[in-house]
Amino acid sequence: MSRDDDLLDGFRAQFALPRNAAGEPLVYLCGHSLGLMPLAARTILNEELDSWATLGIDGQFTGRRPWVGYAERMTAGLAALAGAQPGEVVAMNALTVNLHLLLASFYRPQGARRRVLIEAGAFPSDRHVVTGQIAWHGLDPESCLIELEPRDGEALLRADDIEAAIERAGDELALVLWPGVQYLTGQAFDPARIARAAHRVGAVAGFDLAHAIGNLPLALHDSDADFAAWCSYKYLNAGPGAIGGAFVHERHARRAGLPRLGGWWGHDAATRFLMAPHLDIAAGAAGWQVSNPPIFSAAPLLASLELFAGAGIDRLRAKSIALTQALEREIDALPRGEVRIVSPRDPDARGAQLSLRLRGGAERGRQVFDALTARGIIGDWREPDVLRLAPAPLYNSFADVHAAGAALHAALGAH
Ligand SMILES: *Cc1c(COP(=O)(O)O)cnc(C)c1O
């Protein structure tokens, strides 16, 4: 992609860009942590406040966007990003809550089949979900949890090793919970391959797409994954604490007998307000809802999904690959041995993010990170020793990436 005819340039103007004390825009490479605010988020949020102010409870069923059908407004946009059928996705709750709700249904230990495979170094919340669920069943997390580590001296996991670990666990394996993109290293995994391996031994395959959705195209339906969950405040730009999302494969859509932690919003929408005591579960992912949706943390997602629909995830991915490769070139041009890229070198094996380790380890890494921040480059520092930078194709430019390279060069020279 050439810099001049980048068709996505116009989207940058649709976002609020954070500024320094002097009012100059910062170079924001932190969309993997909190995506920037679409300007339209404020408009939609204000419209919902107006509905509340002027309609009160009537806003539930009248007004511009009746709140009762709010989750459904996000279905098409989320399905496009997840590579799912509309009935397979739902916007609800927050990520960790959704993982718990889904594991309540899909982690059903029986006899010797009670173990769960995750990656060593998983995001702590995911590990807490799994160990918590194991203990909830009265089982021992120590013996039921399998944590796969990279090979000695390696930072990334090999697909073959994941498959081998699944094979090894065999008929003791109840469930695999795996990231779409690893939060610390930026490594992307192929859900289809992992789901196939899990299903081969009779286990369930679930995915945490916190760093994957809105970052790279997904094909969840075809991947045959059983379930997935994500948050919407990273690449989806829906704002701090925004409503999360979930995917449940169509083949589970009508399994009314599947145990679940139910609530009234999972009731078939057509009869929900008849207030009958019986829970008549809605088909599909919608049947995992428990509460009515938080309108003010969902409204910004509507704004963001509209931008994604306009840009198209495939076009965004093409630009993302080019942006990240440009950042990679900047880093490779730094003085030899100063910075090591932990993320995969193969663009297909990573998302937007590059994770860096610096010569001199955590202490110097932290100093360089602080110096970068002082120069207006916003990335983040993840313990123990990783500096993460992610250009987001909706609002970052090649000039941002170049500025980050120059600032990194200067920061390394000064420390
Ligand atoms: C961001 C992130 C979370 C955060 O969980 P919340 O429930 O949204 O607070 C959990 N897991 C992973 C893998 C993440 O990247």
Side-chain angles (χ1 to χ4, degrees), residues 94-97 99 123 125-126 179 181 183 208 210-211 231 233-234:
L95 168 56
T96 307
V97 174
L99 287 174
F123 194 99
S125 202
D126 299 55
V181 173
Y183 82 99
D208 183 325
H211 284 260
C231 51
Y233 47 81
K234 292 170 180 165

Side-chain angles (χ1 to χ4, degrees), residues 96 99-100 103 107 109 114-119 122-137 139-142 144-147 175-178 206 208 227:
T96 307
L99 287 174
H100 270 301
L103 261 74
Y107 176 53
R114 52 172 65 175
R115 306 187 79 187
V116 181
L117 175 70
I118 64 172
E119 16 129 34
F123 194 99
S125 202
D126 299 55
R127 192 177 189 281
H128 303 328
V129 165
V130 170
T131 55
Q133 289 276 333
I134 292 169
W136 184 249
H137 282 277
L139 299 170
D140 172 28
E142 197 62 18
C144 291
L145 184 66
I146 309 172
E147 294 173 279
L175 186 135
V176 178
L177 181 63
W178 211 259
D208 183 325
F227 69 87

Side-chain angles (χ1 to χ4, degrees), residues 273-297:
F273 279 87
L274 296 181
M275 309 307 265
H278 174 72
L279 176 53
D280 186 9
I281 286 288
W288 271 266
Q289 295 173 101
V290 287
S291 293
N292 72 99
I295 301 304
F296 304 135
S297 77

Side-chain angles (χ1 to χ4, degrees), residues 5 19 34 50 56 77 100 102 136 192 194 204 240 282 374:
D5 63 1
R19 290 167 186 274
L34 183 73
D50 286 342
H100 270 301
L102 291 162
W136 184 249
I194 293 168
V204 168

Side-chain angles (χ1 to χ4, degrees), residues 14-100:
Q14 310 284 326
F15 286 86
L17 302 176
R19 290 167 186 274
N20 65 16
E24 300 147 351
L26 298 167
V27 172
Y28 193 83
L29 300 178
C30 215
H32 57 280
S33 182
L34 183 73
L36 291 183
M37 186 188 95
L39 294 174
R42 196 191 293 281
T43 310
I44 299 185
L45 207 41
N46 271 327
E47 286 167 359
E48 301 309 343
L49 286 167
D50 286 342
S51 285
W52 183 26
T54 59
L55 299 171
I57 186 57
D58 279 355
Q60 189 76 275
F61 297 102
T62 63
R64 190 191 282 256
R65 300 178 202 89
W67 304 322
V68 68
Y70 223 80
E72 286 78 355
R73 291 182 176 275
M74 295 173 233
T75 302
L78 290 176
L81 294 175
Q85 298 176 2
E88 291 177 318
V89 297
V90 64
M92 61 180 190
N93 313 311
L95 168 56
T96 307
V97 174
N98 289 341
L99 287 174
H100 270 301

